[in-house]
Structure formats: structure tokens, C-alpha cells
Amino acid sequence: MSRKNYLFTSESVSEGHPDKVSDRISDSIVDKFLELEPESRVAVETLTTTNRVVLAGEVRGPESITKDVMEQSARDAVRNIGYEQEGFHWKHMDVEVHVHEQSSDIAMGVDASGNKDEGAGDQGIMFGYATNETEQLMPATLQYSHSILKSMAEARHSGEASELGPDSKSQVTLRYENGKPVQATSVVVSTQHGANVSQERIREIVIQHIEKNLPEGWMPPEEELYINPTGQFIIGGPDGDAGLTGRKIIVDTYGGAAQHGGGAFSGKDPTKVDRSAAYVTRYLAKNVVAAGLADRCTIQLAYAIGVSKPLSLYVDFHQTGNVDPAKLEKVLAEVMDLSPRGIREHLGLNRPIYERTAAYGHFGREPEADGGFSWEKTDLVDALKAEF
């Protein structure tokens, strides 16, 4: 039997964290290709370090997206984050581009031909999750970790909190009673700042954003607010620590409250099921919980490279379900096409909508008018209710 009373913790990192800088650069290049050719194939990894960015990977798309275009995309991403520091500056950093054509062996297995539908871009397992403990149907520990940092970033960009730097991390621990979050027991925030800013001023700024983003009455005791616990955080971002694409997969998904598949998301076009199938499993799980079929839901899909149909579909309600999960598995396979092509078409994924996903989570966001975060819609609720 699962525990009802416990403490649980999740962390988030800001758009200026070195790994998130890498994710954003990679996704900015995905968007460049999809904007010109929706069927482009992109798999681009980024390394960031002191005043240096290195791009590597394989693509198939418009020849007009040259190495110079990719370099400029990297500079634009870094500038938009706000890096104009001596050790990492969008204008002065060196950018190396080692991106080449996609392997013909991969293309042969993935592309549709004759009677063969488009296959998955790789083998793999993907998980989606939803829980009714927050309005966004996300784990509360992660949702609040994200919202604190996003609020700080908005204040930094607006000039309201110009003392803050782009790099920051948060960590929220909540107490659960009867399986539901009731209060924060501790919050950790480390944020980069200017050299002449006191830690007292940083603490004052950060506590305002913690209070604003936690529910009323949830603030932990003063001694459990750990703001820049090392004492100072002046050198940050890729100058302080190297960054790599895809190294923050738990931050990107469910904060450790649910399972994660084998692959990261950023830098990959939506034919890669690492990305598109993780999105559709979240979409299905969210609609299941929104329909009231369970309080919590995990869904797994599995694929083989070059094969269009999923090899398996698994549902787990974590002992909170109101319907038969085996029946739901059959229903989900009927309400939408779970082939790579079916997922992309249903969710409208062949669009330049990915750079915005690179920080503050791929899930728990609001669907946008241009198709961004389409996997957060709850438009299957009526169909699922009708089946039960």
C-alpha cells in the first residue's frame, strides 16, 4: 500500500542554467528548420562553456539553414536569455558548428515508402503522467519550483530585479498528508547576482517570489528558507559550469514524481518519439485525470526504430482509478492514432514551437494559439467520459 504521509522534493533550474542554455540553443535550431520545412529532420546537441558554444548532430532540411544561420541562432538564444558577462557573452563567444547530413540508414528506416508508414525515429520507452494535486495536473513540488524561477526571470527581464543574473536553481519540499500536499517545509533558491549586491538584498528579492508563488499559508519557517546557501553566486552560467543538451530530463518532466523514459527532448524534431511520444503520453494521462477516471495516471508507450505502431501501451492508476485500466488501454488506442505520424498530426507538432519549451518544464504549461504546448489540451475528456 502506498504511503499517505511523507515529504517530497523537486527541483527546477532557470533558463540561464548552463544545461538549459544548451537546450534552448538546440531547440532554436529545431525551430529554424521546421519554420522553413515542417518535415525537416533535426538532432542537434549543444555544449556550452566559458565563452564557447559547440553544436554537433545531424539534420535533413533546407540548405538555406547554413552553419552561419545556426551560429546566429545560438547567439540570439544566448542574448535573449540575458548573457552579457565577461565569461559568457552572446556577441563575443566562439561558436563552432559541427552539424552534418542525417545518416541514410536512419532515413531509410524512418521515412514512409510504398505501403510502409513512417516509422519511429528510434527505439525507446516513453512515460506520461498527471495528478490532480495542482490545477495544472502536475506534481506540486515541481510546479512551484518552476513558478518561483519563472517569476524571478520575469522580474529580471523587466528590470524590476536587475540585481539578479540569468543562472538560478530552486528546490521545494512539501509535506503530504493523506496523499495531498499541504505545506512547504523548506525552499532552496540559489541565484546568480551582481558583484556589488549584498546577500541580504538577494534574500529580500527571492523571498518575495517564493511568497508570491506558494499558496497562502504554505511558507516554511524562516530558518528553512535557504537563499544562496554557499554565500555568493557571482560567476554562473556556462562560465561557472559546462552545459549539455538533455541533461535536465527530470526538471523537464515531473520532478521525480513519475517515471521517465530513455531519452531527452530538446534538439529533436517531432519524428523522434523521445519527444513526440513523451508529449502524447502526457496528453493522454492529463485527459484521463481531467475526465475524473483517476486521481493519478502514468502511461507508457514503447516503439521500435522504423516501426510505426507502438509495441505496447500501459496504464497505471497508482491505486486511484475509477475504471478498469485494461479497458482504458484499448480505448486510448482507439481515440487517437499512436503512430509517430498520427501523434504529430493530432498534436500539430511539425511547427516551430520548441524553443519556448526549453526552460520551466515541457508540461504544466498553457496551450498557445499558435500550437505551442498543444499536448496540454484536455480536448479528449468528453470522448473518454463517453467510453465509461
Side-chain angles (χ1 to χ4, degrees):
M1 186 173 180
S2 60
R3 294 177 62 190
K4 298 295 184 182
N5 302 316
Y6 53 90
L7 300 181
F8 193 77
T9 305
S10 295
E11 72 160 345
S12 180
V13 297
S14 73
E15 65 197 61
H17 185 282
D19 295 330
K20 285 286 137 203
V21 176
S22 296
D23 285 344
R24 182 162 180 170
I25 292 170
S26 291
D27 275 337
S28 74
I29 292 169
V30 172
D31 283 354
K32 279 281 187 293
F33 276 90
L34 295 181
E35 185 175 14
L36 295 183
E37 174 49 65
E39 299 297 326
S40 293
R41 302 289 194 264
V42 187
V44 172
E45 312 290 342
T46 303
L47 161 70
T48 56
T49 186
T50 302
N51 267 335
R52 185 177 298 275
V53 169
V54 181
L55 306 179
E58 53 281 340
V59 297
R60 190 176 73 198
E63 293 183 359
S64 59
I65 302 186
T66 61
K67 291 185 176 182
D68 287 342
V69 171
M70 288 186 248
E71 175 182 338
Q72 188 59 49
S73 186
R75 294 189 188 281
D76 290 344
V78 172
R79 179 178 57 189
N80 290 336
I81 291 169
Y83 273 113
E84 294 186 343
Q85 300 171 1
E86 182 179 351
F88 196 68
H89 194 299
W90 64 270
K91 185 183 291 186
H92 306 310
M93 65 189 190
D94 292 327
V95 181
E96 300 177 27
V97 181
H98 305 282
V99 176
H100 56 79
E101 285 289 316
Q102 182 189 53
S103 160
S104 59
D105 288 351
I106 293 176
M108 179 176 62
V110 173
D111 291 348
S113 61
N115 295 323
K116 174 184 173 296
D117 193 10
E118 175 187 293
D122 201 353
Q123 71 176 48
I125 57 172
M126 297 83 203
F127 290 94
Y129 179 72
T131 172
N132 63 5
E133 65 187 54
T134 61
E135 178 185 346
Q136 298 85 3
L137 304 185
M138 286 288 289
T141 48
L142 181 65
Q143 197 67 32
Y144 298 134
S145 294
H146 284 325
S147 63
I148 290 167
L149 293 186
K150 194 170 185 183
S151 177
M152 289 167 54
E154 289 168 354
R156 176 175 60 85
H157 283 296
S158 71
E160 177 189 336
S162 58
E163 301 97 326
L164 302 182
D167 191 1
S168 58
K169 303 178 77 169
S170 64
Q171 186 171 283
V172 173
T173 301
L174 299 181
R175 185 172 74 249
Y176 284 70
E177 293 180 357
N178 295 317
K180 298 295 182 182
V182 296
Q183 188 179 19
T185 60
S186 66
V187 176
V188 184
V189 176
S190 297
T191 180
Q192 190 181 17
H193 56 83
N196 298 319
V197 185
S198 70
Q199 290 305 308
E200 290 75 17
R201 174 57 180 155
I202 295 300
R203 186 177 183 87
E204 177 187 344
I205 294 170
V206 171
I207 286 178
Q208 292 174 9
H209 292 279
I210 297 173
E211 288 179 332
K212 183 168 73 171
N213 287 283
L214 289 180
E216 187 175 355
W218 279 38
M219 281 291 285
E222 179 76 17
E223 64 270 19
E224 293 297 329
L225 292 171
Y226 301 95
I227 314 300
N228 280 6
T230 62
Q232 71 174 30
F233 187 179
I234 298 170
I235 300 172
D239 187 29
D241 190 11
L244 293 170
T245 301
R247 204 159 55 174
K248 285 292 177 286
I249 57 178
I250 300 303
V251 170
D252 288 342
T253 53
Y254 307 105
Q259 293 151 294
H260 192 288
F265 306 154
S266 291
K268 299 174 182 177
D269 74 79
T271 66
K272 278 70 170 176
V273 283
D274 281 342
R275 181 166 224 159
S276 56
Y279 288 174
V280 83
T281 50
R282 161 63 179 174
Y283 172 67
L284 295 176
K286 185 175 183 181
N287 276 270
V288 166
V289 172
L293 305 185
D295 293 342
R296 297 169 59 204
C297 180
T298 294
I299 294 176
Q300 186 208 51
L301 287 172
Y303 291 87
I305 188 169
V307 179
S308 62
K309 65 170 185 166
L311 306 183
S312 65
L313 191 165
Y314 168 75
V315 172
D316 183 359
F317 290 146
H318 307 279
Q319 301 177 351
T320 69
N322 303 313
V323 298
D324 178 5
K327 179 180 178 182
L328 180 62
E329 289 167 357
K330 295 178 181 177
V331 168
L332 293 177
E334 293 169 357
V335 296
M336 73 170 289
D337 178 359
L338 294 173
S339 69
R341 182 194 300 276
I343 294 169
R344 289 188 296 111
E345 292 179 350
H346 187 101
L347 296 179
L349 298 181
N350 284 95
R351 310 182 197 192
I353 55 174
Y354 297 107
E355 184 175 354
R356 71 193 75 168
T357 68
Y360 313 116
H362 292 245
F363 308 128
R365 311 282 286 272
E366 286 295 318
E368 297 178 348
D370 66 351
F373 302 103
S374 60
W375 49 92
E376 292 296 312
K377 292 181 179 180
T378 52
D379 52 2
L380 290 183
V381 165
D382 291 341
L384 292 175
K385 286 182 175 179
E387 291 289 341
F388 292 94

